[in-house]
């Protein structure tokens, strides 16, 4: 009976140790580089929150834009006046703007603020018969809506889809 023993040479072991050692050093280098870059990013972002320190990092503020103030609008607005023709007042007749109630006929005429693309509807489901008319509109709303009449019989009907010049 023979016993065979495999013996690896010392050259292979030295080469393998050098390879593992170089990968280990490279890993450490990547890890510490990541930590340093991440911490510097956090510090710079924190400094950007302070207006005095922000001036040090950013010299050009033209890309920031202006603050949105009360007199600046993102879209044009208009207004329409809707009159209830069948009665003087009826709180059960409601005016819907894009499906949401915005007014009811507490008085004979209701003023509604609208923007381009709004859908104005009248809801008389609780009131019964009613007749409604757009009596006037602001100058920036297309004229075809003035004088539009709708007769309702316990239903919801579309009065107008607003188009602004």
């Amino acid at each position: 009976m023979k016993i065979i023993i495999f013996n690896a040479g010392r050259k292979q072991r030295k080469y393998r140790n050098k390879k593992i050692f170089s990968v280990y050093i490279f890993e450490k280098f990547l890890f510490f580089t990541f930590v340093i870059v991440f911490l510097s990013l956090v510090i710079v972002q924190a400094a950007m929150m302070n207006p005095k320190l922000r001036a040090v990092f950013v010299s050009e503020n033209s890309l920031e834009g202006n603050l949105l103030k009360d007199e600046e609008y993102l879209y044009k607005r208009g207004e329409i006046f809707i009159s209830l023709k069948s009665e003087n007042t009826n709180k059960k007749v409601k005016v819907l703007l894009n499906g949401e109630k915005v007014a009811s006929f507490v008085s004979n005429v209701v003023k509604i603020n609208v923007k381009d693309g709004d859908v104005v509807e009248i809801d008389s489901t609780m009131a019964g018969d009613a007749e409604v008319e757009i009596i006037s509109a602001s100058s920036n709303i297309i004229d075809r809506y003035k004088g539009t009449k709708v007769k309702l019989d316990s239903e919801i009907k579309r009065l107008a889809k607003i188009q602004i010049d």
Side-chain angles (χ1 to χ4, degrees):
M1 179 157 123
K2 279 188 172 179
I3 298 177
I4 300 174
I5 300 174
F6 180 74
N7 192 3
R10 289 186 176 201
K11 290 182 181 178
Q12 290 177 350
R13 229 184 268 159
K14 284 181 181 179
Y15 176 71
R16 190 171 23 156
N17 287 343
K18 284 182 181 179
K19 191 174 183 180
I20 291 172
F21 186 70
S22 63
V23 170
Y24 179 74
I25 290 175
F26 182 68
E27 240 178 62
K28 287 285 189 183
F29 173 75
L30 282 179
F31 176 75
F32 285 115
T33 304
F34 171 76
V35 169
I36 291 170
V37 169
F38 180 75
L39 288 176
S40 63
L41 179 68
V42 169
I43 291 169
V44 168
Q45 289 297 320
M48 295 286 275
M49 299 296 279
N50 186 343
K52 291 178 183 176
L53 292 176
R54 183 182 180 93
V56 173
F57 293 111
V58 180
S59 61
E60 185 67 36
N61 285 335
S62 65
L63 300 176
E64 292 293 321
N66 296 329
L67 294 175
L68 189 61
K69 298 175 187 163
D70 291 335
E71 63 271 6
E72 296 180 81
Y73 295 106
L74 297 176
Y75 43 82
K76 294 180 183 176
R77 287 193 162 268
E79 53 189 34
I80 59 172
F81 293 90
I82 304 171
S83 172
L84 184 61
K85 294 293 183 185
S86 58
E87 307 171 43
N88 275 345
T89 62
N90 191 343
K91 293 180 183 178
K92 294 181 180 178
V93 179
K94 302 171 192 156
V95 179
L96 306 175
L97 185 65
N98 298 325
E100 295 183 24
K101 178 187 169 192
V102 291
S104 60
F105 284 95
V106 178
S107 65
N108 192 24
V109 177
V110 175
K111 174 184 154 189
I112 307 292
N113 292 322
V114 293
K115 63 182 188 289
D116 192 32
D118 281 349
V119 176
V120 180
E121 298 169 314
I122 306 298
D123 179 8
S124 71
T125 53
M126 303 298 282
D129 295 339
E131 185 177 353
V132 185
E133 178 184 7
I134 297 177
I135 55 173
S136 79
S138 59
S139 61
N140 60 348
I141 295 177
I142 294 177
D143 287 337
R144 73 174 179 204
Y145 299 117
K146 188 175 179 185
T148 303
K149 291 182 183 179
V150 173
K151 288 186 180 183
L152 302 143
D153 183 26
S154 298
E155 60 187 334
I156 298 174
K157 270 196 177 175
R158 182 171 154 178
L159 185 62
K161 182 173 181 186
I162 304 301
Q163 292 179 345
I164 295 183
D165 297 344

